[in-house]
Amino acid sequence: MSQISLSRISRYPVKGLDEQSLQQTELKPGQALPGDRRFALAHGASSYDAAAPAWAKKAHFLNWARTPAIASLRSQFDASGCRLSLRENGQDVLAEVNLTEPAGRDALCAFLVARLPNETRGKLSLAEAPGISFSDVDLPLISIQNSASLADLAMHAGREVDQRRMRGNLLLDSAAPWAEMAWIGKQLRIGGAVLEVIEAIGRCPATMVNPESGQRDLETLDLLNKHYGHQDCGIYAKVIQGGMIKVGDAASLL
C-alpha cells in the first residue's frame, strides 16, 4: 500500500472567501488550524453581537451555501492572513487592505456590498473573536479530506470534483477511497502532530458551488445520497499533540 501523505494545507482567513494555501504550519493542542476562519462577514440581517464576540452559526455570515457568487473572487493574503486583496476574472478589484484595521475592514465590506447588493441584506461588518475560528462547528477542529474519496465521487459525477468545494484544511493522498470513515475514534499522526478523528463531516449545499465560477453546478448531496447512502465527505479531527506539519509529510494511524 502506498504511504499516505499530506498534499495540501489550506486555511480560510475570511470565512466564505478564497483559501490560502500553506506549505507548513504548526498545530497546537485543542486549537484550529492557525488563522483559519479568523474573520467572518456578518450580513445585515445577522444578530451577531460584536460587543460580545464569540462563535456563531454560519447563518449569521456570508457563505457559499447562501451567497455562492463570492466563490468567484480570488483572494490573495500576506503571510499573516490579515492583509487581503481581491481579483475577479483576472482583474484587480480590491487593493490590499489590512483586516485588523477599521479602514481595511470598512473597505472590504463596502466593496462586497457594492459587488453583491442583493446578497448582503444591508450593511456588512467584519467579525473577529480572539481565539475563535468561525468554522461550521463550535469546536476548534481540523477538517481533513481524502483525495481518493473525491476521485471516487468524481467517477459517479462524471466530472472532476474540485477539492476546494469541500473547503478542507488538510488533503491526504494515497489512502483508499473512503478509508477515512474507518478512522473515526482513532488517532492520526501527520508530521509532528497527532490528531484524534472525531466525526464525519456532513455536507451542505455549499459543496454544489463551483469555486471558479461561483455558480451551483453539481448536485453533490444527491450524488452522496445516491451512491453512498449519506451526505458525509471528509472528517473532523482535534489536535491532541501539537507539532509542525508540512506538505509532503507522511500520515499514519496510531
Side-chain angles (χ1 to χ4, degrees):
M1 182 179 70
S2 300
Q3 183 182 65
I4 302 172
S5 62
L6 176 61
S7 63
R8 193 175 187 90
I9 304 172
S10 301
R11 69 178 177 187
Y12 304 83
V14 181
K15 182 179 181 69
L17 293 187
D18 207 5
E19 70 171 348
Q20 181 182 25
S21 181
L22 305 175
Q23 287 301 302
Q24 63 179 30
T25 193
E26 183 177 5
L27 301 183
K28 295 183 178 180
Q31 296 187 22
L33 193 86
D36 187 51
R37 277 86 167 182
R38 174 177 173 177
F39 306 101
L41 292 152
H43 55 70
S46 171
S47 59
Y48 182 80
D49 185 0
W55 181 87
K57 294 181 178 180
K58 66 181 179 182
H60 291 275
F61 309 113
L62 294 192
N63 60 75
W64 286 18
R66 185 179 179 94
T67 313
I70 58 175
S72 67
L73 295 170
R74 302 276 72 81
S75 304
Q76 295 179 312
F77 294 95
D78 72 343
S80 73
C82 295
R83 291 182 176 273
L84 162 71
S85 59
L86 294 175
R87 293 174 62 83
E88 188 172 25
N89 298 323
Q91 302 295 317
D92 295 329
V93 292
L94 179 68
E96 186 178 79
V97 296
N98 188 335
L99 301 179
T100 66
E101 298 177 351
R105 294 170 182 249
D106 290 347
L108 173 61
C109 291
F111 166 78
L112 290 172
V113 169
R115 169 70 174 73
L116 303 164
N118 298 319
E119 303 290 347
T120 60
R121 286 173 278 176
K123 184 179 179 180
L124 288 177
S125 61
L126 192 68
E128 179 183 13
I132 296 296
S133 170
F134 290 109
S135 68
D136 289 352
V137 291
D138 61 351
L139 295 173
L141 303 178
I142 308 290
S143 56
I144 302 173
Q145 293 295 142
N146 175 2
S147 63
S149 299
L150 297 178
D152 193 65
L153 181 60
M155 177 186 67
H156 293 298
R159 55 177 293 185
E160 179 188 7
V161 177
D162 192 315
Q163 59 89 23
R164 292 178 296 169
R165 290 180 186 266
M166 305 300 169
R167 298 180 68 75
N169 295 134
L170 308 180
L171 182 67
L172 299 180
D173 285 350
S174 299
W178 307 103
E180 67 274 20
M181 297 306 175
W183 300 348
I184 296 170
K186 299 179 180 179
Q187 293 182 3
L188 180 67
R189 178 180 293 280
I190 304 176
V194 176
L195 300 89
E196 181 181 352
V197 181
I198 302 300
E199 62 185 4
I201 302 175
R203 290 302 173 179
C204 74
T207 58
M208 299 165 63
V209 178
N210 186 309
E212 286 295 325
S213 68
Q215 301 292 317
R216 295 187 181 96
D217 66 355
L218 183 63
E219 296 297 329
T220 317
L221 304 184
D222 287 347
L223 286 166
L224 288 168
N225 276 323
K226 178 180 178 180
H227 297 288
Y228 308 105
H230 57 71
Q231 293 184 348
D232 300 333
C233 189
I235 49 177
Y236 281 126
K238 67 177 179 181
V239 181
I240 59 174
Q241 177 182 306
M244 289 294 299
I245 61 170
K246 62 181 184 299
V247 172
D249 276 345
S252 59
L253 289 175
L254 298 181

